[in-house]
Amino acid sequence: LILHNGGGGRTFRDDLEGKKITSLRNDCGGWMVNGSACRHLTGLDCPDEEALALYPLKLTVNGTDYDVEIDPRRSLLDLVRETLQLKGPKKGCDHGQCGACTMIVNGRRINSCLSLAVTHEGDSVVTVEGLAKGENLHPLQQAFIDKDAFQCGFCTPGQLCSAAALLDEIREGLPSVITEGEGVAMTDEEIRERMSGNLCRCGAYNNIVEAIRTVSGGER
Amino acid sequence: MKPFEYQRLEIPQDLASTDAGRFLGGGTNLIDLMKHQIETPDILVDVSRAGMDRIEEMDDAVRVGSQVSNTDLASHPLIRRHYPVLSSALLSGATQQLRNKATTGGNLLQRTRCQYFYDTARACNKREAWKRLRCAQGAQSLSRHSRRQPTLHCCSPLGHGRGDGGSGCCGRHAQT
């Protein structure tokens, strides 16, 4: 693949030749290579100078404090995956529909693709990487393995974060639309309703429900 | 997404001195619209930490802060007891992840999910009505594209992210 800039001059590819590349794709569609200015595939510098305006951000991810400077357009998902290099959370639809990017922020699960990182100053974020304690898997992780609750596994990090938050929501007594009265009975119906924000194209739903039921002590 | 200036408000009084831009609450609708470049604010004013997240009992009503999340509103004892339909309606919508982030103010101000509205390559009277077509001209002026999926409010010039979203719930007033 040769990328031309149309003017016969240097190409984006020229810049990449022979370099050890640490590249970062910006939300404007441009790339930063080895800390360079933001450039686009045309080989030109970013037409949007404002794109490089960075904002300071401090937050905690999986117990580790981070102090970074970010483009305010960067989603929490992109921050975690591209800047912090935690590749567990997945970008599925990038529009808050599939749940593959689910993270737990200050105890509540959210779609990290629909949340600007810059808004998370001081927040405590947990991704799938933060569920296990050292070498000990989270009970849900073990249950997913035992019950074979996945096929390709792409959605699993989101499913696990969602399920972990679900257990807390049950303990807290938060109702779902099918909850009647006080307290929550952990039926399969409840689990399915509460996990409906996570889509799995392999269709591993039955085994996912089984895994969560095992950990939550629920009944069929 | 187009570049913008980000501002974070810590106290509600600051709102009065804020001009231009869009207010950002949970962002579950606005961020999505910004990704599609349907919304392109120059200034994004984050009001999610401005202390407007209280639910208060009044004489004959409940006052709900604009930044109360859908989850907090739906599960609040006052709402569960006195406004069960509201709780049920909230819990019927979206997903737990979205309800945790989505706010009461944003709920009233969210824009249509119509696929034509989201398709910026094509004309949509609702998306750009103030630019090209006057509402008064009515359905005759709607492009063929928009006529294919008419909705009751398709011509309604709702405030562009501001103003009353027109959603009275259970006979209650909504003030935004």
Side-chain angles (χ1 to χ4, degrees), chain B residues 138-175:
Chain B
Q140 292 294 321
S141 301
L142 287 176
S143 66
R144 177 166 153 266
H145 164 73
S146 290
R147 275 206 308 276
R148 284 166 58 195
Q149 194 185 54
T151 62
L152 185 60
H153 300 293
C154 201
C155 279
S156 162
L158 285 180
H160 195 217
R162 292 183 184 223
D164 188 346
S167 172
C169 184
C170 312
R172 301 294 127 184
H173 291 293
Q175 202 173 41

Side-chain angles (χ1 to χ4, degrees), chain B residues 5-51:
Chain B
E5 179 188 331
Y6 173 77
Q7 299 176 0
R8 186 186 298 127
L9 295 189
E10 306 286 348
I11 50 175
Q13 285 89 325
D14 283 345
L15 290 176
S17 60
T18 304
D19 60 357
R22 289 276 176 271
F23 291 133
L24 174 68
T28 52
N29 189 206
L30 182 57
I31 302 300
D32 199 28
L33 291 170
M34 288 168 65
K35 283 185 179 184
H36 282 97
Q37 299 201 3
I38 294 167
E39 285 282 356
T40 56
D42 293 327
I43 302 174
L44 193 61
V45 183
D46 181 0
V47 297
S48 64
R49 298 178 184 219

Side-chain angles (χ1 to χ4, degrees), chain B residues 110-148:
Chain B
Q110 71 178 312
R111 311 223 58 199
T112 180
R113 304 282 170 172
C114 170
Q115 59 178 305
Y116 298 123
F117 179 83
Y118 269 79
D119 182 0
T120 53
R122 318 200 44 190
C124 169
N125 192 41
K126 187 178 183 69
R127 189 188 337 109
E128 298 181 304
W130 56 92
K131 282 187 187 169
R132 295 182 288 109
L133 296 173
R134 299 302 302 172
C135 189
Q137 291 176 292
Q140 292 294 321
S141 301
L142 287 176
S143 66
R144 177 166 153 266
H145 164 73
S146 290
R147 275 206 308 276
R148 284 166 58 195

Side-chain angles (χ1 to χ4, degrees), chain A residues 79-105:
Chain A
L79 172 82
V80 168
R81 279 186 60 85
E82 310 303 332
T83 308
L84 308 185
Q85 290 291 303
L86 294 169
K87 301 290 191 180
K90 297 293 185 287
K91 184 179 281 189
C93 68
D94 205 23
H95 291 287
Q97 297 169 357
C98 75
C101 67
T102 300
M103 296 181 194
I104 304 171
V105 177

Side-chain angles (χ1 to χ4, degrees), chain A:
Chain A
L1 175 69
I2 305 292
L3 301 167
H4 294 287
N5 67 2
R10 285 157 57 83
T11 65
F12 187 67
R13 170 123 187 183
D14 291 337
D15 287 347
L16 301 185
E17 290 291 346
K19 288 185 182 171
K20 184 185 174 194
I21 300 167
T22 53
S23 67
L24 183 68
R25 182 151 191 218
N26 285 332
D27 299 328
C28 56
W31 294 79
M32 294 169 74
V33 180
N34 296 337
S36 70
C38 179
R39 305 193 76 189
H40 287 240
L41 291 179
T42 55
L44 302 174
D45 283 344
C46 186
D48 249 325
E49 290 181 10
E50 302 254 343
L52 294 176
L54 300 178
Y55 287 67
L57 172 70
K58 287 183 186 176
L59 79 173
T60 305
V61 180
N62 300 330
T64 304
D65 293 333
Y66 291 93
D67 191 346
V68 294
E69 287 197 322
I70 55 159
D71 186 317
R73 295 171 296 176
R74 182 146 282 226
S75 67
L76 178 61
L77 175 63
D78 284 345
L79 172 82
V80 168
R81 279 186 60 85
E82 310 303 332
T83 308
L84 308 185
Q85 290 291 303
L86 294 169
K87 301 290 191 180
K90 297 293 185 287
K91 184 179 281 189
C93 68
D94 205 23
H95 291 287
Q97 297 169 357
C98 75
C101 67
T102 300
M103 296 181 194
I104 304 171
V105 177
N106 299 336
R108 290 278 173 90
R109 50 174 154 157
I110 65 167
N111 299 115
S112 62
C113 71
L114 275 190
S115 197
L116 296 177
V118 71
T119 64
H120 288 283
E121 175 71 26
D123 283 353
S124 176
V125 178
V126 175
T127 69
V128 70
E129 288 93 341
L131 292 181
K133 292 198 171 129
E135 294 298 306
N136 298 320
L137 292 180
H138 187 287
L140 280 166
Q141 291 172 309
Q142 190 59 54
F144 268 56
I145 294 170
D146 295 343
K147 301 296 181 185
D148 197 16
F150 36 67
Q151 286 182 39
C152 85
F154 185 88
C155 72
T156 307
Q159 301 274 9
L160 282 166
C161 283
S162 218
L166 180 155
L167 297 179
D168 288 337
E169 288 155 14
I170 300 287
R171 273 192 284 273
E172 220 180 305
L174 289 183
S176 79
V177 71
I178 61 170
T179 307
E180 290 179 8
E182 302 290 317
V184 181
M186 274 305 285
T187 61
D188 282 4
E189 258 187 309
E190 275 284 1
I191 295 173
R192 287 179 186 278
E193 164 60 28
R194 289 166 186 269
M195 291 298 291
S196 63
N198 292 79
L199 306 182
C200 166
R201 61 191 284 176
C202 306
Y205 296 115
N206 288 336
N207 294 353
I208 291 170
V209 170
E210 206 173 322
I212 296 172
R213 187 203 310 127
T214 307
V215 176
S216 66
E219 299 170 1
R220 276 175 201 276

